[in-house]
Amino acid sequence: MKVYNGEGIILGRLAALAAKDALLGEEVQVINCEKIIISGTPVNTARWQQDKRERKGYPLKSQIHPRVPERIVRRAIRGMLPWKTNRGKVAFKRVMCHRGVPASLANEKPIVPANASSKKLPNLKYISVGELARQLGGKL
């Protein structure tokens, strides 16, 4: 089982690493999901998410966009998987995301990917997933 610490990590890079490990048969746990960051200006990122949420046709059959941090991260990981194949669906069941550090994972040594750190960003424009969830109306 691999445990990733999401504190100060870029969402897309973490999602790619977690998806790759899940496809290889590993159990993947992501902790501190509310501290993962999304690069870009906060206003534009929040506006894009809100526009994506409002773009729907028939409400009973349209996409469901999550509002809580751990589900936003899990949905990003799902985007990196071949979701429509059986292999992708089985791999997605191996992925779990948590807000904070649960008691069951307190003893585990989390992996902090160095190549996915926010220090690699050329500018300081980013928003955390927790702040984005708060702006979308999620109950934290």
Side-chain angles (χ1 to χ4, degrees):
M1 174 174 53
K2 290 194 176 182
V3 179
Y4 285 105
N5 187 2
E7 192 169 352
I9 303 297
I10 300 170
L11 176 63
R13 295 182 186 200
L14 178 68
L17 290 172
K20 183 178 178 183
D21 289 338
L23 283 172
L24 292 175
E26 290 277 341
E27 292 285 328
V28 177
Q29 305 274 334
V30 181
I31 57 175
N32 292 325
C33 284
E34 73 280 0
K35 297 177 184 173
I36 294 174
I37 63 170
I38 301 172
S39 62
T41 58
V43 174
N44 287 343
T45 305
R47 186 180 306 134
W48 180 76
Q49 286 284 338
Q50 192 63 37
D51 288 346
K52 185 173 76 167
R53 182 175 307 284
E54 291 170 359
R55 240 182 334 211
K56 62 166 69 175
Y58 185 58
L60 298 178
K61 292 187 176 182
S62 59
Q63 269 186 328
I64 297 171
H65 298 285
R67 292 181 185 213
V68 291
E70 58 270 16
R71 292 296 171 183
I72 291 173
V73 173
R74 196 159 190 256
R75 177 71 185 214
I77 294 171
R78 188 188 117 171
M80 302 285 177
L81 291 169
W83 171 247
K84 293 186 179 179
T85 64
N86 190 31
R87 178 176 167 241
K89 288 181 183 179
V90 170
F92 186 59
K93 289 179 184 174
R94 292 188 201 112
V95 176
M96 280 308 297
C97 300
H98 306 282
R99 194 181 317 164
V101 181
S104 61
L105 297 175
N107 301 340
E108 297 287 331
K109 176 84 173 148
I111 299 169
V112 181
N115 61 349
S117 175
S118 63
K119 293 179 176 62
K120 292 186 112 10
L121 290 176
N123 55 17
L124 296 176
K125 296 178 182 173
Y126 59 85
I127 186 172
S128 69
V129 175
E131 181 61 34
L132 178 67
R134 198 172 297 114
Q135 287 183 9
L136 292 175
K139 294 185 172 115
L140 301 177

